[in-house]
Amino acid sequence: MDYKIKHQWASRGYDGQCCWVQARAGAIPPGFMKGNHDPVVVMTMQKLLLAGSDVFYELNETHTTDFGSTWSEIVAHPKTLGRRRAPSGVESVICDATPRWHAPTGKLLSTGHMASYVGDALEPGLRRRTTTYTTFDPEKEIWSDWQMMVMPDMEDKFFSAGAGCTQRFDLETGEILLPIYFKPRSSDGQGLSVTVVRCSFDGEKLHYLGHGTEHTTSEGRGLGEPSITRFQGRFYLTMRNDLRGYVSSSDDGTTFTTPRVWTFDDGAELGSYNTQQHWVTHDDALYLVYSRRGLNNDHVFRHRAPLVMAQVDPQRLCVIRDSERVIIPERGARLGNFAITEVNENETWVVAAEWMQNGGRNAMAALHKLGIVNGHKNGAPYQPSTNYSAECEAFGSDNTIWVARIIWEKKNNFPHWLK
């Protein structure tokens, strides 16, 4: 497969207190929104408090009608997509959401999960987590109030369960294969598990129908943030783990083989760890988008930049090393929270926001690369920024929301979910 990449930007710059994160987009087919003759791509994102850890606020939205050349003003939706306060004082908000067109209902359905806070700190302990969702009506151009999908045994087994940062697949029947990850309330230290939930969606409510095989690993926190696709009749699932990425396959999209570690075709481990991987699917080839070690990126938090794309060998379940190509460049900030958007038969987009925090174990590497050793630069004392956003800026990051347009040389069959 041959393709070219065109880079565009939905937003650039930030205020130093918060930055845009979780930027993800979904495409509305021509004719559904104001009679537009081209796809309308709707992107959501939310602000992150730089002084905190995963502290999110309401979802915001922007859209483009000209393939990303221009974008509408970013609009906040605090009433429908904002935080909700419980009598206990705990506030919850939809986050990690990914919009995708649902053809049978003519709605853009965005699925994620919820985060809960006490003030501007994550609620302590094992927090209740549910799959949350909202819809965008292209005729009225409004978002619905975010809702929670009802699961069985939500008081124990699925007490903490959600579809945050996952990539779903819609079947021709209209049923949805939605990957989630979960941890029981009575887990006793058990790690996270992944499964694929079969759902129905009537345009307003997302209903649980059943779920498939459950998978975990004893390594780290288990398996999380799974993403699913179908290629040439078989389904594939990629999963995050603290130490390495995992992959599995299935005939029916719910019963998956035992997960195996992602490797290159030469047998070496892929080197992607503790972050997401997502699928780019063409009729003629299957690709994985990911970040990994070994790309002169020790100074980036968890090596979450650059984003690269490589072809997958579906029989061997490995990545073809020689096909690897940088999709979004590294500029000091992490890019690991991203998403894939099928726009039409000609284009697939990779969307990612520069996350302006570069702390953790990689902070020292970032400082060393800037010439800062033992707290000094050029012999003078150097005081790092509290959240290491300045260290991201030093490499060129400015909270750009990147749009990498993958333009195919050979057209894809028009995806059924866009018909």
Side-chain angles (χ1 to χ4, degrees), residues 23-24 307 328 335-339 350-354 400-404:
R24 298 182 177 90
L307 288 183
I328 299 180
L335 298 168
N337 287 60
F338 66 100
V350 180
V351 175
E354 291 179 330
T400 289
I401 298 178
W402 289 85
V403 177

Side-chain angles (χ1 to χ4, degrees), residues 48-52 301 334 355-359 387-389 392:
L48 167 92
L49 180 65
L50 286 166
F301 178 80
R334 44 176 140 161
W355 188 308
M356 301 298 289
Q357 290 177 318
N358 195 9
N387 51 48
Y388 292 96
S389 60
C392 296

